[in-house]
Amino acid sequence: MRVLAIVPAYNEARNLPGALAALRDAAPGCDVCVVDDGSTDDTAAVAARLGAVVLREPVNLGIGGAVQTGYRWAAARGYDVAVQVDGDGQHDPGQLAALLQPILRGEGDLVIGSRFLAGAGGGFRSTALRRAGIRYLSLFLRLRCGVLATDPTSGFRAAGRRAIELFARRYPSDYPEPEAIAVAARAGLRVREVPVTMAERRHGRSSIDAWRTLYYLLKVSLALLLLPVREAAPLPAGEPRPEGPA
């Protein structure tokens, strides 16, 4: 089974060495693709020096555009599974094996790493305001799409082949994590969760402050309300795949 780790990164030159070293140690057989989202620091040079495939966006597209670039790369090159791992060191690559299990058992197409499932243990769970927002989005997703996701903003997730094909074609552009779950559910994909722990980012600050948290909730709520009742299913095997980046 071919596994690709997609690492979206914007100005993460200081965090990448630790994040990629942990990824190599935990999953030495996994290919690594860093998507440099228009960084103004040495993110691309650091990633290349550490041996990762580097895809460079010409401008900052935001997390959705960067992640979709990774999915298009994975789809075009026939990867069986793509895992999303943030470049800020918050995700523990040692938990990748658990994240892959539902896909390997044929029980899931998209697997979300959740900080809030029983067995997740401690670790970083964000601010009280953001935890309240996460609970709101979890309830919204359940009512709107019938999907259970206790940590819908988690960017630590694994996608099987059907999800790769779907996200290569369509991936939300702005604050994409909850909407991507809805898109997958509406396309008939099986969404599962496994417990994980997360750490605080090692360097720098999150761009989502209190005001952006409220904007995030409003924007995602509108997106979920306007979501089509049914998404187009992933392409069947043998159909031409979208071209990936050069």
Side-chain angles (χ1 to χ4, degrees):
M1 183 178 68
R2 298 177 65 222
V3 180
L4 177 70
I6 299 171
V7 184
Y10 176 67
N11 289 344
E12 298 288 4
R14 296 177 67 193
N15 285 313
L16 275 180
L20 295 190
L23 193 52
R24 297 285 191 201
D25 288 343
C30 176
D31 294 339
V32 179
C33 171
V34 173
V35 184
D36 174 23
D37 190 18
S39 296
T40 56
D41 67 359
D42 294 328
T43 290
V46 170
R49 189 174 69 240
L50 295 171
V53 170
V54 181
L55 307 179
R56 301 192 69 175
E57 305 288 9
V59 296
N60 179 239
L61 299 178
I63 183 68
V67 169
Q68 187 177 29
T69 294
Y71 277 120
R72 288 174 64 82
W73 175 273
R77 284 152 184 81
Y79 282 94
D80 302 298
V81 179
V83 294
Q84 292 177 225
V85 182
D86 283 356
D88 57 12
Q90 285 192 295
H91 301 157
D92 178 7
Q95 297 176 319
L96 278 179
L99 204 63
L100 295 178
Q101 282 305 307
I103 294 174
L104 295 178
R105 293 196 299 262
E107 297 172 356
D109 300 297
L110 176 66
V111 183
I112 313 297
S114 171
R115 293 163 285 184
F116 306 111
L117 281 179
F124 178 66
R125 297 194 171 196
S126 196
T127 64
L129 177 62
R130 291 181 66 176
R131 289 197 303 274
I134 288 169
R135 287 195 292 274
Y136 161 78
L137 290 174
S138 177
L139 177 62
F140 206 141
L141 275 170
R142 190 165 190 171
L143 295 175
R144 190 79 177 96
C145 304
V147 62
L148 177 61
T150 61
D151 197 357
T153 66
S154 168
F156 194 27
R157 48 186 65 186
R161 187 66 206 178
R162 297 182 70 210
I164 291 173
E165 296 279 4
L166 175 65
F167 292 151
R169 281 207 326 273
R170 183 185 170 193
Y171 199 79
S173 60
D174 197 16
Y175 304 130
E177 291 87 1
E179 191 179 344
I181 294 172
V183 167
R186 288 287 173 85
L189 301 191
R190 298 162 297 174
V191 179
R192 299 290 183 267
E193 286 189 309
V194 297
V196 299
T197 57
M198 294 188 192
E200 290 193 69
R201 55 184 297 128
R202 297 189 180 100
H203 302 284
R205 299 176 57 185
S206 170
S207 62
I208 302 179
D209 55 19
W211 287 110
R212 284 183 180 271
T213 296
L214 296 176
Y215 171 74
Y216 181 121
L217 294 176
L218 177 61
K219 189 270 174 188
V220 173
S221 297
L222 288 174
L224 293 179
L225 284 173
L226 297 175
L227 197 70
V229 174
R230 181 75 182 170
E231 288 284 341
L235 293 173
E239 289 290 323
R241 294 169 179 155
E243 293 182 1

